[in-house]
Amino acid sequence: MTTLADLAELVRAPAALSVPGDVIAGAAAAGALSPRTPALAGASVLLYWAGMAANDWADRRLDAVERPERPIPSGRVTPAAAVGLAAGLTAAGVGLAAAVGGRRAVALAVPLAATIWGYDLLAKNTAAAPAVMAACRGLDVLLGASGGRVTRALPAAATVAAHTWTVTALSRREVTGADAKLPMRTLAGTAVVAASAAVAVPRARRATAREADQTGARPGRTGAAAGVAAVLPAVLAGWYAARYGAAQAEVVRDPSAGRVRAAVGAGITGLPALQGALTARGGAGLLGLAVAAAAPLGRRLARKVSPT
């Protein structure tokens, strides 16, 4: 009999802590933080879980050989239940986005859902896999920006997408291990990602009083407060780079499958620190800290349910 623990393992529930920060970072960048932002984040989590369930359904025969302990090959979840759950979560995610965000949110939620399924069913085992998964995360950031000026969130979307490319490229070698060149490339990518998150957006704008109430930013900050606001994105980006970078450096030293899986896990659970940096860069420093706080929590939960 399938239990909630089995379903949590199927959808890699703890990894969902890396998802709301996409929407929040996009909303902060676009000046679109509002009471509907948490609901859009919820829609994003539903779509993420749908992708995880669809992924295991698509890989059920391969997992029977390489990961027989996974919920489907072990018999704890039937293939029909997995694909049904994936479809239901997809419908719920798009429906929630439509309910709270209207047409502008649907215009991003539908392509996001299609890209997630396209990755699981078509692209995952091809050379296009990292780019397609990166597109999923980029669209997720833009979903958060759907209530504001979406173009302002494009740098944040590109930064998260680039991070996702590195994680996905590594994840393709979770079972076989990698050669040292791959983690060297992803490590270089991580350095670029961290640097881009730490640098202020050229056209950064001063928070209005209304936005200050929504984001925790203070309009017209000067002196010490302005200094903290300027430094915080760099601090959080440095934290992200140190954790994820160290894991990739271990893969360079020992490119075994176990080290690769550890680096992938670090990339997933470390993403909130990057999202926090982007949120802070968008003018919501306190909210950025809250987003980044999901990183250590995700690492603890990952010890109970694998995020990979």
Side-chain angles (χ1 to χ4, degrees):
M1 180 177 179
T2 300
T3 66
L4 286 176
D6 296 328
L7 295 178
E9 184 179 349
L10 177 72
V11 301
R12 298 161 179 82
L17 287 171
S18 73
V19 178
D22 287 343
V23 169
I24 294 171
L33 283 166
S34 72
R36 75 176 191 163
T37 301
L40 285 176
S44 176
V45 168
L46 292 173
L47 292 174
Y48 182 87
W49 280 341
M52 292 295 100
N55 174 80
D56 272 24
W57 177 79
D59 282 356
R60 62 193 184 280
R61 294 184 180 85
L62 180 62
D63 283 346
V65 176
E66 296 182 345
R67 297 184 179 185
E69 74 282 358
R70 291 293 300 160
I72 296 177
S74 67
R76 290 177 288 133
V77 177
T78 68
V83 73
L85 179 64
L89 288 169
T90 300
V94 173
L96 180 57
V100 300
R103 293 181 180 179
R104 296 189 67 182
V106 169
L108 287 158
V110 170
L112 172 57
T115 306
I116 290 170
W117 279 86
Y119 173 84
D120 288 334
L121 301 182
L122 300 174
K124 182 178 180 181
N125 296 315
T126 72
V132 176
M133 183 55 74
C136 289
R137 283 287 188 169
L139 286 168
D140 204 26
V141 174
L142 296 181
L143 176 62
S146 59
R149 297 183 62 177
V150 176
T151 54
R152 283 181 170 167
L154 289 175
T159 299
V160 172
H163 163 80
T164 305
W165 183 92
T166 69
V167 176
T168 307
L170 286 169
S171 72
R172 289 162 60 81
R173 297 292 180 265
E174 283 185 309
V175 175
T176 62
D179 61 77
K181 292 181 180 179
L182 175 60
M184 289 177 68
R185 290 195 297 269
T186 62
L187 186 56
T190 297
V192 173
V193 166
S196 68
V199 175
V201 177
R203 292 191 302 169
R205 58 191 177 84
R206 181 175 298 177
T208 65
R210 180 181 179 185
E211 289 165 345
D213 290 338
Q214 296 171 344
T215 67
R218 293 186 180 276
R221 289 172 297 189
T222 59
V228 171
V231 170
L232 185 57
V235 171
L236 294 177
W239 180 25
Y240 151 80
R243 296 288 306 186
Y244 183 33
Q248 292 173 86
E250 285 296 313
V251 181
V252 174
R253 185 183 64 81
D254 174 15
S256 63
R259 291 292 186 186
V260 172
R261 284 194 295 273
V264 172
I268 294 171
T269 60
L271 177 55
L274 175 64
Q275 296 161 335
L278 294 170
T279 301
R281 191 179 71 175
L286 292 178
L287 188 55
L289 285 172
V291 169
L297 177 59
R299 285 195 295 273
R300 286 195 293 270
L301 292 176
R303 296 168 189 161
K304 299 182 178 181
V305 179
S306 173
T308 69

